[in-house]
Amino acid sequence: EINPILHTKLTWVKKDELWGLFDEEKGRLLCKPQFTMATTMSQNASLVKVGNFFGVVNHVNCTYLITPEISKVKKVAPHIIVFKQNEKWGLFNEYGILRLNPEFDSLFMKFPETVVGIKNQKFGLYDLAGKETLPVVYDQFGSISEGLFSIQQNSKYGYATRQGKI
């Protein structure tokens, strides 16, 4: 099988049930067939699987942008993927750029372009670039209504915006 990478001279090729990356322009393999799965994320990076674990490889020289230690991956937005590594959750984009280190008990989309991070039963907010908009200190986040959502810290309640204004 072959899977060309759009707008590049690169192609994923499958031989004996393993995927490798072939450079059509140079006429040689960049990555020898070693991956049980290879899914193109962008012109620059692909999600690969080695054994039971996922990683992200760079198309330029087939080095790992994220080493294959990821046990779960889930696409949560058009260009954003959450992943589980060593029982903690993190976030990377389609270029394989790590946006949030795997240090969260849970990560999920709460609002458009906003990610909720949970550590030690405390909640915080991040944008898709990994920038913290609300620190991980809140006991609870509620539903959004009219641009605001309820928050609870200790026994006090209030409202916040997705941009982190209390």
Side-chain angles (χ1 to χ4, degrees):
E1 291 180 54
I2 62 170
N3 286 329
I5 299 172
L6 292 176
H7 311 295
T8 73
K9 301 281 186 190
L10 303 174
T11 301
W12 282 105
V13 294
K14 189 175 185 181
K15 182 180 180 187
D16 299 327
E17 302 303 315
L18 295 176
W19 290 94
L21 186 60
F22 186 77
D23 185 329
E24 297 171 30
E25 191 172 66
K26 295 179 181 173
R28 66 179 178 89
L29 284 169
L30 290 175
C31 302
K32 66 179 179 146
Q34 60 187 302
F35 308 111
T36 56
M37 182 210 79
T39 301
T40 303
M41 298 187 315
S42 69
Q43 293 176 355
N44 302 319
S46 288
L47 181 68
V48 295
K49 190 171 184 183
V50 179
N52 294 325
F53 295 99
F54 299 93
V56 177
V57 293
N58 178 339
H59 293 161
V60 175
N61 55 13
C62 205
T63 57
Y64 285 109
L65 297 169
I66 300 175
T67 58
E69 299 171 343
I70 298 170
S71 57
K72 291 184 183 181
V73 291
K74 183 178 180 183
K75 191 172 187 175
V76 294
H79 307 286
I80 300 297
I81 298 157
V82 296
F83 68 97
K84 189 174 188 179
Q85 182 178 4
N86 299 322
E87 301 304 315
K88 296 292 182 180
W89 290 90
L91 182 103
F92 62 86
N93 68 14
E94 80 271 23
Y95 297 105
I97 298 171
L98 197 60
R99 295 301 187 184
L100 289 173
N101 288 320
E103 58 188 40
F104 297 89
D105 300 325
S106 182
L107 275 178
F108 59 92
M109 296 292 290
K110 178 77 170 178
F111 316 107
E113 300 191 20
T114 306
V115 177
V116 174
I118 302 173
K119 290 184 201 176
N120 302 318
Q121 300 178 340
K122 300 289 183 182
F123 294 75
L125 277 185
Y126 298 84
D127 66 17
L128 295 183
K131 181 182 173 212
E132 180 182 82
T133 53
L134 281 175
V136 182
V137 296
Y138 297 94
D139 299 315
Q140 195 172 43
F141 281 178
S143 298
I144 193 161
S145 177
E146 298 181 31
L148 299 172
F149 60 95
S150 61
I151 54 174
Q152 178 189 354
Q153 185 178 18
N154 300 320
S155 59
K156 296 181 180 183
Y157 293 86
Y159 290 95
T161 67
R162 288 182 290 175
Q163 295 78 26
K165 186 172 180 179
I166 305 295

